[in-house]
Amino acid sequence: MINRIGRLTVVAIAAACAAVPAARGEAQQAKPTVVVMVFNNDADPRTARDYEGLNKAIADFLTTEMSANPNARVVDRGQVQKAIDAQRLPPGARLTRESAMTAAKSIGAQKVIVGRFAPDAQGNFRIDARAVDVGSGAVEFTDRVQARADSIVPLVGGLAGRLYGGMGVAPATSAAGPAARLPMRAAITYGQALDATDRGDRARATELYGTVLKDFPDYGPAKRGLARLKPAP
């Protein structure tokens, strides 16, 4: 009788131990994979060119903020850009919802963030964002944030938490750091550096990253971007 009880105890312990990694695997799978698409430029056509590059900068800022959350997996901006490039959209074309969904599906994401931005003549800046379920195509959450133009990075930081809340994902502490001090012009220049990198224009990207770092030498994303452009030793 004692031996039988002992065997049953061993079996129960073994089953419990086997269940632990399985539960961990399920928890990891429960984390949604999120992609942040480039934001469309809705500035007045007369001034839209002044904000070129900001579409990628905002996506990069938002990706950084959302990546700080351990409750989701956020796809690297470079991988998202490759998925967009694979669609061979015309130069300067706006990213449509259909293109965003196609890119998100090719990455295997469950959630996609799309949006647009618009400055006004009074120095205000507005960002509209939507969280869309890739499987069903349903819009899960929409939000609009607005502030003075030079508060763009903190604005994105607040948006990240609200998007997670709208998707039912617990938010995490903001990761803005030094980027929160980037003024609008530096943010635009950084976005132009990202675009030059995406186009393979290493010389232009190096120049633009250098321009950002001249005034903001502690800005990590620009330092990392510049480092990636240097040839391997």
Side-chain angles (χ1 to χ4, degrees):
M1 181 68 177
I2 294 176
N3 288 339
R4 183 169 178 271
I5 293 174
R7 286 195 298 272
L8 290 174
T9 301
V10 170
V11 171
I13 293 173
C17 291
V20 171
R24 288 175 179 170
E26 291 175 2
Q28 290 176 347
Q29 292 177 1
K31 293 182 180 182
T33 298
V34 181
V35 294
V36 181
M37 294 293 163
V38 295
F39 275 54
N40 286 322
N41 181 351
D42 272 6
D44 186 298
R46 294 169 295 182
T47 60
R49 288 181 61 88
D50 295 339
Y51 297 91
E52 287 182 355
L54 199 56
N55 56 341
K56 294 187 176 182
I58 290 175
D60 186 75
F61 297 152
L62 190 55
T63 296
T64 298
E65 289 287 346
M66 298 188 80
S67 295
N69 192 333
N71 301 311
R73 187 181 79 85
V74 182
V75 179
D76 177 74
R77 190 202 71 85
Q79 188 178 348
V80 177
Q81 186 61 45
K82 288 179 181 178
I84 295 173
D85 291 342
Q87 298 184 59
R88 301 185 181 279
L89 301 175
R94 291 171 63 85
L95 186 68
T96 64
R97 176 172 171 172
E98 291 73 21
S99 295
M101 294 292 285
T102 298
K105 287 177 181 177
S106 72
I107 297 171
Q110 286 81 51
K111 311 290 182 183
V112 58
I113 307 300
V114 295
R116 58 186 181 175
F117 66 88
D120 66 23
Q122 287 71 46
N124 300 309
F125 194 86
R126 189 188 79 236
I127 301 176
D128 297 322
R130 288 178 293 168
V132 182
D133 181 82
V134 176
S136 66
V139 176
E140 294 187 327
F141 182 70
T142 63
D143 198 10
R144 170 178 290 181
V145 292
Q146 182 169 321
R148 299 296 295 175
D150 274 349
S151 299
I152 178 174
V153 182
L155 195 65
V156 171
L159 179 61
R162 291 162 66 143
L163 285 168
Y164 271 138
M167 292 188 290
V169 178
T173 304
S174 172
R181 297 193 295 271
L182 283 184
M184 176 64 78
R185 177 45 52 188
I188 292 172
T189 302
Y190 174 67
Q192 291 171 344
L194 293 175
D195 184 60
T197 300
D198 293 338
R199 291 185 286 102
D201 190 344
R202 298 169 65 92
R204 180 60 174 159
T206 298
E207 176 187 352
L208 291 166
Y209 283 131
T211 299
V212 175
L213 291 171
K214 181 179 178 181
D215 294 325
F216 301 91
D218 295 329
Y219 186 40
K223 290 195 289 186
R224 290 190 290 273
L226 187 60
R228 284 193 291 266
L229 294 173
K230 295 180 179 179

